[in-house]
Amino acid sequence: MANSRSEELKIASGKKYFEILCAEISVTEELDLIKARDERIFSLLNDYYSTLIYPRFAFLAQTNVKTGAGECLQALRRFKAAAAMCANVDSFRLPAALPAYLAQDFKVKTDYIEELAGGKGINGQAGLAEFEGVVKALILLYEEKRKHEASAALPEEKKKKREALSASPAEKKGGKKEKTAAKKTKKGRRKKAEDKEIADKDISWPEKAPAIKKVPAVPAAPGSDAELKFITVFAIILGIAGATVYSERGNASVFGAFLGGAFGTFLASLLGNIYFMRVGYIKRDAFICLAMIIFAVASMPAGRGRSVPVKSPYSRSKQPEKTFDYKKAKKDAWKSYNDRLNRSLIEKTKKTAPGGRTK
């Protein structure tokens, strides 16, 4: 029973590891990074992957038993770690300029890489571990090379600083000489100015005319010309609209045109004040526009909407207009209906005589 239980656990764990293996084996970002940097190292690692890792995965995929999936997963992860480490190496070739104490170590490591890339290849997990150790050593050697270059650059910087410090006293001396020369020139200028003032006092000059005060120009309102054109266009458009709204029998209304033009003027002025942020005028123009809207609605001629058309007091036409009498129309309709009803009853009651006469 114990053996069967352990076998079941192995099978279950093998299936679990195989699912993880399926998810990770298709992701080879490390190889893509190496391919962009060094084609030789990419082909070396790609050969190892295609001969020692992927065939094991393909065999597990074809069989029902997945007990070897865990070992295959470990090998895949070890390979990916080595490939990711290769991306941190500056170059797998021997650098041109090297310090003497690092040249031999670099040569041994790069020769080993050249031998593997030349056709020997990586043999099994032991070969991969050895390759990984060489890559780690190369990373450390490049770090040591950078430290040596940085330490060699420091003396040059110190030398430049010393030269700057040694040149500074001479500059200070030159600066002092310039200051003394400037002082002498200032004294000479002061003497000349004093002599000129004395000479001016002795000579009688005519009195100077009083200075004219400059009156500051009042700045023009921003966009004044454009606003005037804008207001004119609004006034014309809304004047035409008002003339058509208040028209009567095709005759344009003068009152409507005047009212529409005035409303267009104040509306355009309100929009200009809002655009130029003239707060004091916004409230005024808004109140005027609202009052004109109320006045226009209140003075709307009868006959617009559902009301019975009546002659507008603001129309220019002087022709009399017929009014519609609703009561009279109702009375006439009722009378005609009764006449038709009575006529049909009379015709039914008529009797025709044998001689053609009606009784």
Side-chain angles (χ1 to χ4, degrees):
M1 294 292 291
N3 292 331
S4 62
R5 180 63 178 168
S6 62
E7 289 178 359
E8 289 177 359
L9 290 174
K10 285 181 181 179
I11 293 170
S13 62
K15 290 181 179 179
K16 182 179 178 181
Y17 287 136
F18 183 74
E19 291 177 358
I20 299 170
L21 182 63
C22 290
E24 292 187 8
I25 200 163
S26 59
V27 180
T28 56
E29 295 177 356
E30 296 81 4
L31 288 177
D32 296 336
L33 291 173
I34 296 168
K35 185 177 182 180
R37 300 186 62 183
D38 197 329
E39 191 72 27
R40 299 175 307 128
I41 305 302
F42 169 73
S43 61
L44 179 66
L45 293 174
N46 191 31
D47 291 341
Y48 180 83
Y49 174 80
S50 59
T51 56
L52 296 176
I53 293 177
Y54 194 80
R56 293 174 65 182
F57 167 73
F59 176 75
L60 290 171
Q62 292 175 359
T63 58
N64 294 326
V65 181
K66 314 293 184 186
T67 53
E71 296 176 358
C72 185
L73 181 62
Q74 290 179 359
L76 175 64
R77 288 178 176 175
R78 194 177 299 115
F79 167 76
K80 285 189 175 184
M85 196 178 297
C86 291
N88 296 323
V89 181
D90 293 349
S91 176
F92 289 93
R93 299 183 185 275
L94 186 67
L98 281 174
Y101 70 98
L102 295 176
Q104 185 62 28
D105 292 337
F106 262 104
K107 189 174 185 309
V108 172
K109 303 301 185 292
T110 53
D111 288 344
Y112 174 78
I113 297 296
E114 292 289 341
E115 185 180 357
L116 292 179
K120 184 178 179 181
I122 301 172
N123 298 321
Q125 295 183 2
L128 183 65
E130 187 177 359
F131 173 76
E132 191 174 355
V134 172
V135 171
K136 287 180 181 178
L138 275 174
I139 293 171
L140 295 174
L141 286 172
Y142 273 107
E143 289 179 358
E144 186 65 25
K145 179 177 176 292
R146 284 191 287 271
K147 289 179 182 177
H148 177 76
E149 291 173 352
S151 61
L154 287 174
E156 294 181 0
E157 293 180 359
K158 289 180 180 179
K159 187 177 179 181
K160 289 179 181 179
K161 287 181 180 178
R162 286 175 184 173
E163 290 177 355
L165 291 172
S166 62
S168 60
E171 291 176 359
K172 288 180 180 178
K173 290 180 181 178
K176 286 181 180 178
K177 290 179 180 178
E178 289 176 359
K179 286 182 181 178
T180 54
K183 286 181 180 178
K184 289 180 180 179
T185 53
K186 285 182 180 178
K187 287 181 180 179
R189 288 173 185 172
R190 286 177 184 174
K191 286 182 180 180
K192 288 181 180 179
E194 290 175 358
D195 295 339
K196 190 176 181 181
E197 286 179 0
I198 294 167
D200 292 340
K201 287 179 181 178
D202 295 338
I203 301 169
S204 60
W205 295 94
E207 295 182 357
K208 294 181 179 180
I212 300 170
K213 293 182 179 180
K214 293 183 178 180
V215 179
V218 179
S224 57
D225 295 336
E227 275 188 274
L228 183 60
K229 294 178 182 178
F230 186 64
I231 289 170
T232 305
V233 171
F234 254 68
I236 292 171
I237 292 172
L238 291 179
I240 295 170
T244 55
V245 169
Y246 286 88
S247 64
E248 187 68 24
R249 290 186 179 180
N251 297 323
S253 175
V254 177
F255 173 79
F258 176 76
L259 185 63
F263 179 71
T265 301
F266 285 105
L267 180 60
S269 179
L270 174 62
L271 295 176
N273 294 332
I274 293 171
Y275 180 77
F276 292 109
M277 294 303 294
R278 294 195 283 266
V279 182
Y281 298 100
I282 292 174
K283 296 179 181 179
R284 181 199 67 183
D285 292 338
F287 177 75
I288 293 172
C289 288
L290 180 62
M292 292 190 73
I293 290 171
I294 295 171
F295 178 71
V297 172
S299 60
M300 180 68 70
R304 306 291 178 187
R306 297 180 180 178
S307 60
V308 180
V310 181
K311 182 181 178 182
S312 172
Y314 309 106
S315 177
R316 294 171 59 186
S317 62
K318 297 181 180 180
Q319 297 177 0
E321 187 173 331
K322 295 180 180 180
T323 57
F324 181 74
D325 193 351
Y326 179 75
K327 292 181 179 180
K328 186 178 180 182
K330 185 178 179 182
K331 187 176 180 181
D332 294 340
W334 183 253
K335 184 178 179 182
S336 62
Y337 174 75
N338 288 333
D339 291 342
R340 287 198 301 271
L341 184 63
N342 293 332
R343 189 181 299 110
S344 60
L345 291 174
I346 292 168
E347 289 177 356
K348 287 180 181 180
T349 53
K350 282 181 180 181
K351 293 181 180 180
T352 307
R357 294 180 182 179
T358 56
K359 291 184 180 180

